[in-house]
Amino acid sequence: MWWKVLLAVLVVWLAFGLIMALVKGLLYVLVIGLVILGIVSVVKWASSDKQSTRSGL
């Protein structure tokens, strides 16, 4: 009987660990995506700013 309880605890622990790993992985990917999006936005803004100053001159 005790091994069923141990098995249930082990399954719950593994499931919880898997869910936490997935959440951490998704957060990691989300942070990388936001950083890339920010870099692209800054580059686009800088290039459009240079073009507008050039056309102004």
Side-chain angles (χ1 to χ4, degrees), residues 13-14 31 37 42 50-51 53-54:
W13 181 70
L14 286 175
V31 167
L37 185 65
V42 168
K50 288 179 182 175
Q51 288 173 356
T53 53
R54 285 181 184 167

Side-chain angles (χ1 to χ4, degrees), residues 24-38:
K24 285 181 181 178
L26 286 174
L27 286 175
Y28 187 66
V29 169
L30 184 64
V31 167
I32 290 177
L34 286 174
V35 168
I36 291 173
L37 185 65

Side-chain angles (χ1 to χ4, degrees), residues 5 9 13 18 29 40 48:
V5 175
V9 169
W13 181 70
L18 185 63
V29 169
V40 169
S48 69

